[in-house]
Amino acid sequence: MQLRKVTAASAAVLALALTATACGSSDDEGGDSAGGGKKITIGIKIDQPGIGLKTPDGKFTGFDVDVATYIAKELGYDAKNITFKETKSADRETAIERGDVKFIAASYSINDERLQKVDFAGPYLLAHQDILVRADDDSIKSPADLNSKKLCSVTGSTSAQNVKEKLAPKAQLQEYGGYSECLTGLENKVVDALTTDDSILAGFASQKDFQGKFKLAGFKMSNENYGIGLKKGDADLKKKIDDALTKMVSDGSWDKAVKANFGPANYKNEQAPKIGNIVK
């Protein structure tokens, strides 16, 4: 009889422990959709100035960082309880599906292929493929003028291939390992232009070392609707993020973030898009 009592007591203790563990699980990673957890992990880029950048002192800056921080606050998380996690372009869907992050704000364009794997809130920014040239270069007035020019982008970039295949087939494509290398090449006249999203170009051109040296051409060669990536089927979280983005625009925080991160490059941004308005 005594053994039976001890076993029952042990079972009760074990059940209590398991319950406590389950309740405490929302403290890890993203917590729950309603923001009830103490901490949240958000996917960003850490190597794109003006968009998402990790500085040498360990801080995170950029438009996407500002947007993500605002959303997290609206979900109930303090800035000190946010963990920013690098999510490279090729890993974004996997990071969401695996639950490594609660959501992603990382120059993440909404397209049909990605919508098969993840959901998107937003969009929160309409960007366009563009080129960056030296401030004193007036020789490139249209994409066709890139023919016979040296065009730089990162290895494997779809932006560069888009120009090469559709707009300027005689462009001399130079592929480097990173955008910083392209900027150095552009500054030293090794290349004539750099192409990717205008928001990314504006972020690089806004850096202190480059202010006044470059300009965006304003060609708008594609439409890139940046959205907040999240787990497929999480309708509750999607609505909460959409509501947060709507509020960010209405209270002026969106405009403030655009000016702070892109202003020095004279970036002529589009107005904040309406939620669900995907521009093709």
Side-chain angles (χ1 to χ4, degrees), residues 132-136 182-188 201 204-206 209-216 264-266:
L132 192 71
V133 297
R134 290 181 292 276
D136 60 355
C182 283
L183 275 173
T184 300
L186 185 58
E187 183 179 18
N188 296 330
L201 294 174
F204 275 102
S206 293
D209 292 344
F210 295 130
Q211 287 179 17
K213 295 182 179 181
F214 307 110
K215 63 183 178 182
L216 285 95
N266 295 316

Side-chain angles (χ1 to χ4, degrees), residues 114-157:
R114 290 168 180 163
L115 282 168
Q116 299 300 313
K117 299 179 179 179
V118 300
D119 280 342
F120 285 94
Y124 63 93
L125 182 72
L126 175 58
H128 306 282
Q129 184 186 340
D130 200 358
I131 65 165
L132 192 71
V133 297
R134 290 181 292 276
D136 60 355
D137 186 356
D138 295 320
S139 67
I140 305 174
K141 295 181 171 59
S142 73
D145 291 332
L146 290 168
N147 281 306
S148 301
K149 296 283 189 179
K150 293 178 180 177
L151 176 67
C152 190
S153 195
V154 297
T155 303
S157 166

